[in-house]
Amino acid sequence: MTDQWLTSLITETPQDGFALAVTLSRRGVKTTQPDVDVLKKLRPVYAEDADSLTAASQVIAINFQTVAAANNYWR
Amino acid sequence: MTDQWLTSLITETPQDGFALAVTLSRRGVKTTQPDVDVLKKLRPVYAEDADSLTAASQVIAINFQTVAAANNYWR
Amino acid sequence: MTDQWLTSLITETPQDGFALAVTLSRRGVKTTQPDVDVLKKLRPVYAEDADSLTAASQVIAINFQTVAAANNYWR
Amino acid sequence: MTDQWLTSLITETPQDGFALAVTLSRRGVKTTQPDVDVLKKLRPVYAEDADSLTAASQVIAINFQTVAAANNYWR
Amino acid sequence: MTDQWLTSLITETPQDGFALAVTLSRRGVKTTQPDVDVLKKLRPVYAEDADSLTAASQVIAINFQTVAAANNYWR
Amino acid sequence: MTDQWLTSLITETPQDGFALAVTLSRRGVKTTQPDVDVLKKLRPVYAEDADSLTAASQVIAINFQTVAAANNYWR
C-alpha cells in the first residue's frame, strides 16, 4: 500500500465529502481483503442482500461523520 | 453520479434535518447498489423484517448525529 | 409526512430527552415501513427476541447521544 | 412510565457513570418490552450467548460515551 | 459490585488507555453475565469465531473513543 | 503484552492515521484472541465473507474517528 490515496480530509462540498466517506469505507474492506478478484466475486451476492446494503450504508455514515467534522460541516 | 444531491447539511428545522439523515442513509445504499430495480425487489422483504428496520433506523440515527451537529442542534 | 413531529431537540429534563430519543428511533423505523399494520404484526416477534431488544436499545442510545449533546447534557 | 428515573447525567465518579450507562441501556430494552416477565424469560438464553453479551456491552459503551461527556470525563 | 474498579479515565499513555478500553468492554459483559464460570465456558467458542472477534474489537473501539477524548488524545 | 505498540495517536498524514486505525482494530481482535495460529486459521473464511469485511471496515471507521480527532483532522 505505497500508493497515496488519502492526502486530506478536506473537500470542497458536502457531496465530495460523502464520496470520500465511500472511499474510506471501501479502503477498510480492501485493507482486510486486498485480492480484487475475491472482492469482485463477493459483490453480486452482497449487493442483492438488503441487510448487507444497510451495513455498508452504516460504515459510510460513520466515515461521513469524520469527514463532515473535518470540514467543520461545510458551514 | 453527476447529479447534485447534497449541497449543504444546513436545514431549517430539526425535522428537515431528520429527512436529510434519511436521504443520506438511502444514498449510502444506492452507492453500493445503484440498480433501482434490484432495490425495489429487496424492499418488500426488507421492510417486513423487524431487525432490518432497526438496522435502517440505526443508520438514520448515525446520519442524524452528523446533521444535528452541523446545525448546532438548531439551538 | 406533512405532520410536524420534531420542532426542537431541547427538552426540560434528561428523562424527557430519553423519551425523545425513543421517538426518533421509532420514526427511523416508520420512515422505512410506514404501514402501521405491518409494524403491529412485527412487534410480538420482535419484542420477545433478546437480540432485537438490544439492537433497539442501541438505536435509542445513539439518538440519546444527539439529544443529550443538543441539551448540553442538561448541565 | 410516570416514575422519575433519570434526573441528571452527572455522577460523582466514573464508576457511577458506568452504572448509569448500564441503567440507560436496560431502559432502552424495557421501553421496547415493558413486560418484566418476558424480560426474565429472555435473560437465561441471552446471558449465555457470547454475541448477545458483546452486543449488550456495546450499548453500554455507547451510553457511557454520553455520560462521560456529560461529566466532562471526570477530569 | 462494591469493588472499586474505575476511579479515573485518565491514563499515562495511549496504550494504557487502550488497555482501559478493553477493561470497560469486559465490564460491560460481566455486568450482564456476572457468573465467571459461564463466561469461561463461552470464551473458547467465542474466541474462534471471526465475527465475534470483530464485534469485540468494535466495543473496544467505542470505549477507546471515550478514553481518548478524556485524555485529550494524549496530545 | 509488555511490548510498546501505541505511543501516540498523532500521525503525519491522514493516510498514516488510517493505517493506525487498522492497527488499533487488529489489536482489538488480538487482545481477545492472542493465539496467532487461531487468527491465521480464521482469516481465509473471514476474508471471503462480504458481511465480515463490512464489519471489519466498520471497526476501522470507528477507530479512524478517534485518530482523526486526535490529529485535529490534519487541518
Side-chain angles (χ1 to χ4, degrees):
Chain A
M1 215 195 312
T2 51
D3 67 303
Q4 281 217 329
W5 62 274
L6 185 64
T7 55
S8 171
L9 294 180
I10 307 306
T11 68
E12 210 165 317
T13 66
Q15 190 165 329
D16 291 347
F18 194 83
L20 177 54
V22 173
T23 301
L24 289 164
S25 306
R26 289 185 179 155
R27 266 284 154 169
V29 169
K30 219 177 284 183
T31 302
T32 313
Q33 176 51 272
D35 187 330
V36 179
D37 287 339
V38 175
L39 293 177
K40 270 192 193 140
K41 208 182 63 192
L42 294 175
R43 177 155 275 266
V45 184
Y46 169 82
E48 303 210 5
D49 181 288
D51 291 333
S52 299
L53 290 170
T54 302
S57 182
Q58 178 156 318
V59 181
I60 294 168
I62 294 168
N63 279 315
F64 187 57
Q65 287 193 328
T66 310
V67 176
N71 288 277
N72 202 23
Y73 303 99
W74 300 275
R75 265 186 288 223
Chain B
M1 216 197 309
T2 51
D3 67 304
Q4 280 217 331
W5 63 275
L6 185 63
T7 56
S8 171
L9 294 180
I10 307 305
T11 68
E12 210 166 316
T13 66
Q15 190 166 328
D16 291 347
F18 194 83
L20 178 54
V22 173
T23 300
L24 289 164
S25 306
R26 289 185 179 156
R27 267 283 154 169
V29 168
K30 219 177 283 183
T31 301
T32 313
Q33 176 51 273
D35 187 330
V36 179
D37 288 339
V38 175
L39 293 177
K40 270 193 193 138
K41 209 182 63 194
L42 293 175
R43 177 156 275 265
V45 185
Y46 169 82
E48 303 210 6
D49 181 287
D51 292 333
S52 300
L53 291 170
T54 302
S57 182
Q58 178 157 319
V59 181
I60 294 168
I62 294 169
N63 279 314
F64 188 57
Q65 288 193 329
T66 310
V67 176
N71 288 278
N72 201 24
Y73 303 99
W74 299 275
R75 265 186 288 222
Chain C
M1 213 195 313
T2 51
D3 67 304
Q4 281 217 330
W5 62 274
L6 185 63
T7 55
S8 171
L9 295 180
I10 307 306
T11 68
E12 210 166 316
T13 66
Q15 190 166 328
D16 291 347
F18 194 83
L20 177 54
V22 173
T23 300
L24 289 164
S25 306
R26 288 184 180 157
R27 267 283 155 170
V29 168
K30 219 178 283 184
T31 301
T32 311
Q33 176 50 275
D35 188 330
V36 178
D37 288 338
V38 174
L39 293 176
K40 269 192 194 141
K41 209 182 63 195
L42 294 174
R43 177 156 274 267
V45 184
Y46 170 81
E48 302 210 6
D49 181 288
D51 292 333
S52 300
L53 290 171
T54 302
S57 182
Q58 178 157 320
V59 181
I60 295 168
I62 294 169
N63 279 314
F64 187 58
Q65 288 193 329
T66 310
V67 176
N71 287 278
N72 202 24
Y73 303 99
W74 299 275
R75 266 185 287 222
Chain D
M1 212 194 316
T2 51
D3 66 303
Q4 281 217 330
W5 62 275
L6 185 63
T7 56
S8 171
L9 295 180
I10 307 306
T11 68
E12 210 165 316
T13 66
Q15 189 166 329
D16 290 348
F18 194 82
L20 177 54
V22 173
T23 300
L24 289 164
S25 305
R26 288 183 179 158
R27 267 282 154 169
V29 168
K30 219 178 283 183
T31 301
T32 312
Q33 176 51 274
D35 187 330
V36 178
D37 287 338
V38 175
L39 293 176
K40 268 192 195 141
K41 208 182 64 194
L42 294 174
R43 178 157 274 268
V45 185
Y46 170 81
E48 302 209 7
D49 181 288
D51 291 334
S52 299
L53 291 170
T54 302
S57 182
Q58 178 157 318
V59 181
I60 294 167
I62 294 169
N63 279 314
F64 188 57
Q65 288 194 328
T66 309
V67 176
N71 287 278
N72 201 24
Y73 303 99
W74 300 275
R75 265 186 286 223
Chain E
M1 212 194 314
T2 51
D3 67 304
Q4 280 218 329
W5 62 274
L6 185 63
T7 55
S8 170
L9 295 180
I10 306 306
T11 68
E12 210 165 317
T13 67
Q15 190 166 329
D16 291 347
F18 193 83
L20 178 53
V22 173
T23 300
L24 289 164
S25 306
R26 289 183 179 158
R27 266 282 154 171
V29 168
K30 218 177 285 184
T31 302
T32 313
Q33 176 51 274
D35 186 330
V36 179
D37 287 338
V38 175
L39 293 176
K40 269 192 194 141
K41 208 182 63 193
L42 294 175
R43 177 157 274 269
V45 185
Y46 170 82
E48 302 210 6
D49 181 288
D51 292 333
S52 299
L53 291 170
T54 302
S57 182
Q58 177 156 318
V59 182
I60 294 167
I62 294 169
N63 279 315
F64 188 58
Q65 288 193 329
T66 309
V67 176
N71 287 278
N72 202 23
Y73 303 99
W74 300 275
R75 264 186 286 221
Chain F
M1 213 194 315
T2 52
D3 66 304
Q4 280 218 329
W5 62 274
L6 184 64
T7 55
S8 170
L9 295 180
I10 307 306
T11 68
E12 210 165 318
T13 67
Q15 190 166 329
D16 292 348
F18 194 83
L20 178 53
V22 173
T23 300
L24 289 164
S25 306
R26 289 184 178 156
R27 267 281 154 171
V29 169
K30 218 177 285 183
T31 301
T32 312
Q33 177 50 273
D35 186 330
V36 179
D37 287 338
V38 175
L39 293 176
K40 269 193 194 141
K41 208 183 63 192
L42 294 174
R43 177 155 274 267
V45 185
Y46 168 83
E48 302 210 6
D49 181 288
D51 291 334
S52 299
L53 291 170
T54 302
S57 182
Q58 177 156 319
V59 182
I60 294 168
I62 294 168
N63 279 315
F64 187 57
Q65 288 193 329
T66 310
V67 176
N71 287 278
N72 202 22
Y73 304 99
W74 300 276
R75 266 186 287 222

